[in-house]
Amino acid sequence: MGTWEETVLVAEIGNQSQVPVLSFSATLIAPPLSPLQQWPFMVQMATNVNEQIRFIAAMAGFFRWRRVVAIYEASVYGGYSGMFAALAEQLQNANSEIEHQLVLPPVSSLSDPKTLVREEFTKLMISKQSRVFIVLQSSLSMATHLFREAKKMGLMGKDSAWIVTDSIASLLDSVNTSVISSMDGVIGIKTWFSGGDDESFRSFKLEFKQRFRSEYPEEDNSEPGIHAVRAFDGVTVIKKAMIELDLSGTHLSPSYMLLNNILSSNFKGLSGSIRFNTGHQSDSRIFSVVNVVGKGYKEVGFWSSKFGFSEDLVGEEKEERGERNKFNSSDNNMEAMADLVNWPGNLKRVPKGWAMPTETKKMKIGVPGRTTFDQFVNTKTDPYSGFQRDFITCGAKISLTL
């Protein structure tokens, strides 16, 4: 299953019938109970969202975005709200904070999602300062409305920054050019897999492309993405578990034996190492950092929670030496990333990430009627003159250029 709604529905059925269920939806952080407690027969193969949140917080910290707007599409079954808490904690460590949480209802429950998005953006522009938008979780349908309306309303312009997680970034190959063009300048983080020259991957890729072109001749891109690769690995997990199924000399039922075999998986799949810990993929992943440009996107580098950002893949020899890039170190490669990114509005520098709200209370400055020193403030001239007026005027000009 690719969405949490689908996962929950099938996981309930799996529990009742005691049949293992493999899920490809994003690993949730803090539902009311952990997935393993609620659905012991569910095994999650997707990447843990915590690692993606660390990347987002690292970006905010390095680029000095002190406030962000966090956006996510609510699930009918809940569960995604824990992302806010995790993001808030990581941002706090990076001297940043969530200024506004924009929670959108499930797109399937809306008769006019475009109008709702426009209204929410209007309220945000009126009262909020941050122009750094983080889309934590969204369906492709909702994301389409988000970016199209944001572009129309000028929120994809200069000094804005947009970051999307794997839930959207992994689907960039699937969206049409009209949607992609409205996302110009967006930064995304998606699970990376090597592909490369591995014989098993070449064989899989060849068969996948042949079948895809046969069934979808109108599609231009027939390359297998992370979802196709994970699905193949999922089938391999079940196949290996079935082969190793041995019911002799055990009191466990076939269902529990199959589940135990699945959770004991330990092999190198097409998407990377396949190992589980408490029902989740246990190994940290390398992520690809992508940047939407025009009607496509480019890869600007790689990121992992262990090594940070790098323009090139982290080599095994570097890991063996125990080297580690930290985002707060002086030689941080985030600076290199800033030069590689095409920012919204074709900005040639890192966006400042804030703008004055359209409706703000004007600051009133009182001036004494009588003063001892005219050099400090002189009320006899029109307009008032003196150091106090010059100081305030200069400060206002500096704030407008920041």
Side-chain angles (χ1 to χ4, degrees):
M1 285 72 61
T3 68
W4 186 239
E5 288 84 353
E6 295 168 344
T7 298
V8 169
L9 183 63
V10 180
E12 290 286 359
I13 298 173
N15 266 16
Q16 293 172 15
S17 55
Q18 296 192 338
V19 175
V21 174
L22 268 62
S23 166
F24 301 101
S25 65
T27 303
L28 302 182
I29 299 173
L33 293 173
S34 72
L36 190 62
Q37 289 176 296
Q38 285 185 289
W39 306 285
F41 277 87
M42 183 172 72
V43 180
Q44 292 182 292
M45 295 192 65
T47 309
N48 194 309
V49 180
N50 272 309
E51 296 190 39
Q52 301 176 55
I53 286 176
R54 290 191 189 100
F55 165 76
I56 293 168
M59 277 192 66
F62 186 81
F63 294 135
R64 298 182 180 180
W65 294 328
R66 298 305 180 217
R67 296 176 181 176
V68 305
V69 175
I71 304 172
Y72 89 96
E73 179 184 354
S75 163
V76 174
Y77 296 92
Y80 288 125
S81 58
M83 291 182 180
F84 280 137
L87 179 61
E89 182 180 353
Q90 292 292 332
L91 286 173
Q92 187 177 24
N93 295 334
N95 295 320
S96 184
E97 64 178 352
I98 299 175
E99 182 184 25
H100 182 64
Q101 299 179 10
L102 177 52
V103 183
L104 299 168
V107 69
S108 58
S109 68
L110 300 173
S111 59
D112 188 3
K114 182 170 66 173
T115 299
L116 174 73
V117 170
R118 191 186 308 121
E119 291 174 350
E120 291 294 337
F121 279 156
T122 300
K123 288 188 285 187
L124 189 148
M125 292 173 71
I126 289 173
S127 60
K128 303 301 178 184
Q129 190 180 61
S130 176
R131 293 298 180 265
V132 178
F133 301 92
I134 299 168
V135 185
L136 287 171
Q137 177 68 34
S138 171
S139 64
L140 185 57
S141 177
M142 179 62 82
T144 299
H145 293 296
L146 272 175
F147 289 108
R148 282 178 172 166
E149 293 307 308
K151 186 175 182 179
K152 290 178 184 177
M153 299 177 71
L155 292 175
M156 298 291 295
K158 292 181 179 180
D159 282 321
S160 293
W162 286 78
I163 307 170
V164 299
T165 58
D166 193 48
S167 65
I168 297 174
S170 63
L171 299 175
L172 289 176
D173 292 315
S174 311
V175 300
N176 59 48
T177 54
S178 65
V179 176
I180 281 277
S181 60
S182 68
M183 298 174 65
D184 192 35
V186 169
I187 296 173
I189 180 169
K190 54 190 282 191
T191 306
W192 176 84
F193 63 95
S194 62
D197 297 325
D198 183 76
E199 178 62 34
S200 58
F201 181 79
R202 285 203 305 267
S203 175
F204 166 76
K205 180 179 177 179
L206 179 62
E207 184 175 355
F208 179 89
K209 293 179 75 169
Q210 288 175 345
R211 290 193 179 187
F212 190 88
R213 287 170 179 168
S214 174
E215 295 183 27
Y216 306 98
E218 71 282 359
E219 295 289 340
D220 297 328
N221 185 10
S222 59
E223 295 290 326
I226 184 62
H227 296 294
V229 171
R230 277 192 184 136
F232 182 87
D233 284 344
V235 172
T236 305
V237 166
I238 296 173
K239 177 183 174 182
K240 287 179 175 290
M242 291 290 291
I243 292 173
E244 296 170 3
L245 197 62
D246 183 6
L247 301 178
S248 60
T250 179
H251 64 281
L252 295 175
S253 68
S255 295
Y256 276 99
M257 279 293 296
L258 181 61
L259 177 63
N260 286 341
N261 287 352
I262 290 173
L263 294 175
S264 300
S265 298
N266 187 2
F267 66 95
K268 181 174 173 52
L270 299 185
S271 62
S273 177
I274 305 297
R275 286 187 295 183
F276 299 101
N277 180 23
T278 63
H280 300 79
Q281 276 273 37
S282 60
D283 284 356
S284 296
R285 294 293 186 184
I286 295 175
F287 292 91
S288 170
V289 181
V290 298
N291 179 212
V292 178
V293 182
K295 296 181 179 180
Y297 70 90
K298 64 179 181 178
E299 193 172 72
V300 296
F302 303 90
W303 190 86
S304 72
S305 57
K306 188 172 184 180
F307 291 100
F309 178 81
S310 175
E311 291 183 59
D312 303 307
L313 282 172
V314 177
E316 291 182 359
E317 68 283 356
K318 184 173 183 180
E319 185 171 1
E320 289 174 357
R321 291 198 303 267
E323 295 181 8
R324 182 169 181 170
N325 293 328
K326 292 184 179 179
F327 284 105
N328 57 1
S329 64
S330 58
D331 60 347
N332 195 286
N333 286 335
M334 273 284 187
E335 189 171 351
M337 175 184 164
D339 297 330
L340 295 169
V341 170
N342 288 68
W343 299 101
N346 201 28
L347 195 64
K348 302 304 181 185
R349 57 169 173 79
V350 176
K352 63 184 182 183
W354 64 272
M356 292 302 295
T358 55
E359 290 186 10
T360 56
K361 293 181 179 179
K362 293 183 179 180
M363 183 172 65
K364 296 180 180 180
I365 302 173
V367 179
R370 295 180 181 180
T371 60
T372 304
F373 301 102
D374 288 346
Q375 294 89 342
F376 184 72
V377 59
N378 187 352
T379 59
K380 297 175 183 177
T381 60
D382 187 19
Y384 299 149
S385 61
F387 171 78
Q388 186 186 48
R389 183 180 186 278
D390 294 341
F391 180 81
I392 295 172
T393 302
C394 183
K397 288 180 179 178
I398 291 174
S399 67
L400 290 174
T401 58
L402 287 177

